Amino acid sequence: MTTNQEEVKLLGAVGSPFVCSVKIALKLKGIEYNYHEEDLSNKSDLLLKYNPVYKKVPVFIHNEKPISESLVILEYIDEIWKQNPILSSDPYQRALARFWSKFIHDKIVTTSIKAFRIVDDEKEREKNVEESSEALQILENELKEKFFGGNEIGFVDIVAVFIAFWIPLIQDITGLQLFPAEKYPKLYKWSQEFLNHPIVKENVPPRDLLFAYFKARYESLIASK
Amino acid sequence: MTTNQEEVKLLGAVGSPFVCSVKIALKLKGIEYNYHEEDLSNKSDLLLKYNPVYKKVPVFIHNEKPISESLVILEYIDEIWKQNPILSSDPYQRALARFWSKFIHDKIVTTSIKAFRIVDDEKEREKNVEESSEALQILENELKEKFFGGNEIGFVDIVAVFIAFWIPLIQDITGLQLFPAEKYPKLYKWSQEFLNHPIVKENVPPRDLLFAYFKARYESLIASK
C-alpha cells in the first residue's frame, strides 16, 4: 500500500487501452494514485517533460521517476507492490506471459487499429483484419482456464483488455467482423468474465462515451478519404 | 552453472542479431548450451515445433520448455542464472533497461532493416534512415557511462549489438549514412569498447562472412527492383 511518503501519478487518456491496463493493475493491487487526464491534441508540459521520447500516454510517475510503455509500467508495478501478483513467481510462466503480451500488442492491437484507420485501401484493410483474426485464433487455442492468469486475472488478461473492450467497439463502429462470438467461443466467454470482474468493470471507460468518440473519429476518416 | 540434469538448447541463425544477443548473455553467465544452426530457407521440424507462432529464431529451449522472442529469452536467462546479472536489482533501473531495449528494437532495428530492404522507393528509404538517425541521437544523449549497464555490459548493451555490429555492415553495403562516427561520438566509442569485450568478440559472427552474405542479398534486391 502507498504511504504518505510515496507519490504515485498516472498521465492518461480515457480512450487508451494501454492506460486502462495500468489502471486495472493499480486497482488490483489497491494502490492509490493521482490521475491526470491528458488532452492529446494539446499535450501538457508534464507529458512532454516525462515522456520526451514518445510524448504518449500512459506515463507512470513514482516518486518523481517517470516510466513509459504500458508493458514496462505493468512489470514495474508488479515488482514494487508485491500484493496480488499479476506475474507468476515461476520464471517460465513469466516468460510465457511476456511472450503473449507482446503477441497481443504486435499481432492484434496493431492490426485492429490499422483496420479501423485504413479506410481508403480495401485490400490493406482486409489484410489487417485477416492478420488480427489469425492471431485471435492462436490466442483462442491458448486459453485453457477461466483467465489467462488461471483462476485470477493476470498480466496477459490485463493486456488483453483491448480484445475484451476495444475490439467489440471497433467492430460495432466499422462493421468489420473482427471478433464474432461464434468464431472464438472461449475468448468470447473469457471477455465476458473479464469485463464482469468488479475491478475491470470500474476501470474500463464508459462504453457510450467511447462509442461516440470513436464513431466521430471514424466518420471524419471516411469523410476525408 | 548447468548441471547434468539440465538441457539448454538454442536454435539460431548466424546472421541474426537477436540470436547473437542470446549467445552473448549465455556466455556472460557461463552457461553451456547446444547450438543448432537453422537453415531459414528450409526450417527444421524442431523450429516449427518449438516456435509454431512465429517460426523464427532465436528459440531457447530449457529442459524441453521453449521460449521465443529475444527480449523474453534474455529476461528468462537472467532470472534462472543469477551470476553476472544483466538487469539491475533496482526496479526503476530494470524498467529503464526494458524501455530502452524496446526503443532500440522499435526505432532503430526496424527502421535500419527497412532502409536496407526498401530499394525501390527512395522517399520511404530516406524516411527510415531519418527515423533511425533520430533514434540514435536520442540514444547518444542517454549514454552516460562506459556501457549502458554502467561499468559492465548489461541488458541494453546486449540488445544494442545490432548498433555496434549490424548497422556498420548495412552502412558499408548500402552506402547509407546510418551511423557515421563523427555524428555519434559517444555511441561510436561505446561500439568499439563493446565489440572489444572478450565475450562479445567471440560471439559476434565473422564479419567477412556476414558482409558477403548481406551484400549478395542486397544485390539480389537491387537486381529484382
Side-chain angles (χ1 to χ4, degrees), chain A residues 134-170:
Chain A
E134 279 169 28
L136 283 170
Q137 193 59 59
I138 291 172
L139 213 55
E140 167 87 6
N141 300 339
E142 273 307 306
L143 188 55
K144 310 277 196 270
E145 298 179 79
K146 183 177 176 187
F147 295 118
F148 289 100
N151 273 321
E152 301 293 337
I153 287 177
F155 201 92
V156 178
D157 300 280
I158 292 173
V159 172
V161 69
F162 182 84
I163 300 170
F165 188 86
W166 270 261
I167 288 194
L169 264 184
I170 296 176

Side-chain angles (χ1 to χ4, degrees), chain A residues 203-217:
Chain A
N203 282 286
V204 292
R207 196 184 197 273
D208 51 353
L209 185 140
L210 274 229
F211 187 88
Y213 173 69
F214 285 120
K215 194 166 165 50
R217 277 181 60 179

